[in-house]
Amino acid sequence: RTIAVHGTPLPGSPPSGAVIVFHDVTDLRRLERMRQDFVANASHELKTPLAAIKANTETLLDWGLHDDAVNVTLLRQIDEQVDRLDNLVQDMLRLARLESGDEPFRLEPMALGPVVRACVEPHEPRARARSQQFSHDLEALDDSVLVRAAEEAIRQILDNLIDNAIKYTPEGGTVRVSARVDDRRVRLDVADTGPGIPREDIPRIFERFYRVDKARSRSLGGTGLGLAIVKHLAQSLGGDVAVESQLGVGSTFTVRLPRHS
Ligand code: ADP
């Protein structure tokens, strides 16, 4: 909150004035706490793969020269952890760039249909490899449906949501991407028949590093930052993201974007 007090000049005297500014310290404290939480969470996330890499390199240095099979296993594990660190650092950078307010994308009017189709199709083989039914209904996205966006932003939003849908849905489940359009907005749905999200966790899953099941997310290669990135991206395009979910039935993530006319 800012309060400004202006002085009134006396008649005949040169103009003078005073401005007193009070900042609401509770906002500043909240921001500072969020920053501290982020640094603590990020350090913790970085420490886990680093510890695994350190343990494996020590084992390799101490014992590894004699047994090729063991060496390969240890090196493979190191390689996985390095990939995990790489994903984490990339997601952290993405989020930092979005949060700094420096627009990382150039937004321009574009037809949404071709971009969405190009994003969705490459996910099909991974769903099939998990024996999932993967389908899409994007008929509504005809040539008249334009949004003001950047291809990269749409891609990151859909990649994150579809990735989650496939990875959290058990083998044999269903993942469906669909689009609906009205005069003002486009709505993209990513629906799955996965485990669903407990009601009490729903308000928090778009927070940085929040996971319903930490161990499960980590074992599936998650960084805990994907949905925070999706939320920022949707907002930077003038839209929003929401989820409806039922435990044991599935989840539907919905992104709404304003149409450009
Ligand atoms: P992560 O890298 O852990 O997947 P996200 O930010 O993408 O991080 O998601 C945050 C958490 O939300 C996940 O850890 C998971 O608990 C939950 N979640 C996200 N998508 C789904 C989904 N489709 N089905 C069930 N839970 C989900």
Side-chain angles (χ1 to χ4, degrees):
R1 184 160 16 105
T2 302
I3 303 168
V5 180
H6 296 273
T8 315
L10 293 169
S13 66
S16 71
V19 175
I20 305 170
V21 177
F22 299 95
H23 287 290
D24 194 330
V25 286
T26 52
D27 270 0
L28 291 177
R29 278 212 196 104
R30 197 171 49 82
L31 276 175
E32 179 57 16
R33 193 164 325 119
M34 276 171 67
R35 202 188 58 78
Q36 284 167 352
D37 282 354
F38 181 72
V39 172
N41 280 326
S43 315
H44 183 73
E45 296 296 329
L46 292 167
K47 255 169 78 179
T48 315
L50 281 173
I53 292 170
K54 179 79 178 154
N56 281 18
T57 45
E58 276 177 1
T59 311
L60 277 167
L61 287 170
D62 289 348
W63 310 98
L65 303 171
H66 310 296
D67 186 336
D68 281 350
V70 172
N71 290 352
V72 169
T73 308
L74 293 172
L75 284 170
R76 226 174 247 139
Q77 286 169 356
I78 290 176
D79 196 44
E80 276 168 25
Q81 297 300 325
V82 171
D83 283 347
R84 189 171 147 193
L85 279 175
D86 190 42
N87 283 340
L88 192 59
V89 171
Q90 295 230 25
D91 273 0
M92 281 164 56
L93 283 174
R94 254 181 224 135
L95 200 57
R97 240 176 274 137
L98 282 165
E99 289 187 342
S100 73
D102 297 344
E103 186 48 74
F105 304 111
R106 238 170 62 103
L107 305 184
E108 46 198 8
M110 55 182 239
L112 189 59
V115 181
V116 173
R117 277 182 204 99
C119 283
V120 170
E121 274 151 21
H123 288 278
E124 188 155 3
R126 208 157 56 88
R128 215 178 310 124
R130 290 176 53 72
S131 310
Q132 292 168 343
Q133 262 189 52
F134 185 82
S135 64
H136 48 82
D137 172 8
L138 304 171
E139 299 274 291
L141 299 181
D142 63 28
D143 294 348
S144 70
V145 182
L146 305 183
V147 290
R148 195 167 164 276
E151 201 170 320
E152 180 58 20
I154 302 286
R155 201 176 60 71
Q156 281 185 22
I157 289 174
L158 284 174
D159 278 354
N160 270 306
L161 295 180
I162 300 172
D163 232 50
N164 279 349
I166 294 175
K167 106 185 153 182
Y168 290 113
T169 299
E171 300 215 342
T174 300
V175 174
R176 183 171 172 79
V177 185
S178 56
R180 273 190 268 164
V181 171
D182 68 23
D183 290 349
R184 293 185 312 116
R185 290 202 292 194
V186 188
R187 174 188 165 138
L188 299 170
D189 285 321
V190 179
D192 66 52
T193 57
I197 300 161
R199 189 193 290 267
E200 64 273 18
D201 291 307
I202 286 185
R204 303 204 58 190
I205 56 167
F206 294 96
E207 289 174 18
R208 303 176 290 190
F209 293 121
Y210 190 85
R211 291 128 150 169
V212 177
D213 180 342
K214 267 199 165 53
R216 187 167 152 71
S217 154
R218 288 216 185 94
S219 71
L220 295 169
T223 64
L225 293 176
L227 289 180
I229 292 174
V230 168
K231 182 176 160 192
H232 267 281
L233 285 170
Q235 287 175 348
S236 73
L237 303 180
D240 57 24
V241 57
V243 62
E244 271 185 28
S245 187
Q246 216 180 324
L247 266 188
V249 177
S251 311
T252 300
F253 284 82
T254 300
V255 176
R256 280 173 300 210
L257 299 176
R259 281 181 73 168
H260 179 82
S261 47

